[in-house]
Amino acid sequence: MKLEDGRKTLATRDDLKRMGINVSNTSLLRWEKQGRFPRRIKPGGTTVAWFLSEIEDWFAERDAERAHTHYAEY
C-alpha cells in the first residue's frame, strides 16, 4: 500500500498489536533475525516501524502455509 505521493505506508508497534501480532519485542527481533518476519526500519531516533505492504505480504504467506499444513486431529 502506498500513499498518493508514492511513499510507503508505515506500521507502528501499536498497529502490529491491532493486527493481532502481539508478541514481545524480543520475539520480533528474533523473528526478524531468522527471516521469519519483515525487518523494521528506524525513521528517526528510537522510533521503529515496518512497511505495511511487507506485513500484508507476511500475512498472505501465513495464509498460504495454513492451506498446506495438516494438523493432527484431536
Side-chain angles (χ1 to χ4, degrees):
M1 171 184 260
K2 290 188 180 183
L3 299 174
E4 289 181 22
D5 62 3
R7 292 180 294 163
K8 290 187 176 186
T9 304
L10 298 178
T12 65
R13 179 81 169 131
D14 287 338
D15 294 327
L16 295 184
K17 288 179 182 179
R18 279 192 290 278
M19 288 184 251
I21 305 168
N22 195 19
V23 297
S24 70
N25 190 55
T26 302
S27 291
L28 282 175
L29 286 167
R30 187 179 313 115
W31 290 0
E32 290 173 28
K33 184 178 179 181
Q34 295 170 345
R36 295 178 51 206
F37 194 76
R39 295 194 55 162
R40 65 189 67 203
I41 62 167
K42 292 186 177 184
T46 59
T47 303
V48 296
W50 294 261
F51 289 120
L52 183 58
S53 61
E54 292 179 0
I55 301 298
E56 291 169 342
D57 292 345
W58 180 81
F59 271 118
E61 290 168 7
R62 303 294 73 73
D63 187 37
E65 284 177 5
R66 182 179 66 168
H68 293 81
T69 302
H70 300 283
Y71 299 99
E73 294 185 26
Y74 294 98

